[in-house]
Amino acid sequence: MRLLLFSGFLGSGKTTLVLRVVKQLLDEGKKAAILVNEIGEVGIDNQLMRKLDMNVWELLNGCICCTLTADLVSTLQQLDTDYSPDVVVIEPSGAADPRAIHTALPYYQGTPLESIQTISVLDPLRIEFLIEVMTPLITSQLKNADLVVISKCDQATPEEIAYAHQTVREYNSQAKILEYSIATPLDTLMNEIK
């Protein structure tokens, strides 16, 4: 079982990207499940995903990186037992810190994970504001990423995209960076997902 962990602040385009990736995985004949974390009692993203016939498991009413880490581990174990997916896509709340999720994963006792890839979705239109206001969260999402997807490149100026690249490199010199918009062929992204 492979694990794809998507991080990104609210409005970054993370859910749209997750939907495209999971649809592609399903089209390739992969058995995929989505683990969605919503802070409130009613999940909106998961309702949309279910309408698209996707296998969605919910963690509600708390943050996957704080109060729900035990739920994350038990849900992964249940997924392994009941569904045996090839790929589990985890989409935490935009306020989640991926470090805490990685800290919880060693407690998972199911089928060994083949790989864990962390993908951070970064909005170049709001990066200056986000770095200023949400510094620890945004920098943690960047520092813990294997791949950073700079979203909305069709709306951003060349200067905003260059600043996004500079910001990523300031916090993570190793991550791959991919410029992305809704018009970007999905193959370009899928080639970067292990």
Side-chain angles (χ1 to χ4, degrees), residues 4-174:
L4 299 177
L5 168 60
F6 282 80
S7 68
F9 196 69
L10 302 167
S12 64
K14 181 178 56 167
T15 299
T16 301
L17 188 60
V18 165
L19 289 171
R20 289 188 77 194
V21 167
V22 172
K23 183 179 181 324
Q24 180 66 33
L25 290 168
L26 295 172
D27 289 349
E28 292 172 2
K30 302 278 191 233
K31 201 171 181 184
I34 308 170
L35 210 162
V36 178
N37 176 213
E38 300 277 3
I39 297 293
E41 293 180 15
V42 177
I44 303 300
D45 291 343
N46 57 34
Q47 291 176 18
L48 170 62
M49 292 172 184
R50 281 203 176 98
K51 284 184 181 177
L52 297 172
D53 291 328
M54 295 181 177
N55 189 348
V56 181
W57 297 62
E58 303 172 282
L59 292 177
L60 292 173
N61 214 9
C63 181
I64 198 172
C65 65
C66 337
T67 58
L68 297 177
T69 53
D71 288 350
L72 167 65
V73 171
S74 62
T75 301
L76 280 174
Q77 289 176 186
Q78 185 180 357
L79 264 170
D80 178 42
T81 302
D82 296 349
Y83 187 62
S84 300
D86 300 311
V87 182
V88 175
V89 175
I90 299 178
E91 184 191 359
S93 149
D97 185 338
R99 286 179 304 181
I101 296 168
H102 283 280
T103 301
L105 291 175
Y107 296 101
Y108 165 73
Q109 299 296 312
T111 303
L113 298 172
E114 294 172 35
S115 64
I116 302 168
Q117 185 177 21
T118 303
I119 301 154
S120 181
V121 183
L122 182 63
D123 180 351
L125 304 175
R126 298 184 302 151
I127 190 168
E128 287 185 75
F129 169 77
L130 292 173
I131 291 290
E132 183 178 324
V133 176
M134 305 294 292
T135 304
L137 175 63
I138 301 304
T139 57
S140 178
Q141 289 179 352
L142 294 176
K143 287 177 183 177
N144 289 283
D146 301 305
L147 170 65
V148 176
V149 176
I150 300 173
S151 64
K152 304 179 184 179
C153 286
D154 55 338
Q155 300 170 37
T157 65
E159 293 78 20
E160 289 169 323
I161 295 169
Y163 182 71
H165 277 271
Q166 176 188 335
T167 303
V168 171
R169 286 298 169 233
E170 184 177 333
Y171 296 103
N172 188 333
S173 62
Q174 303 299 314

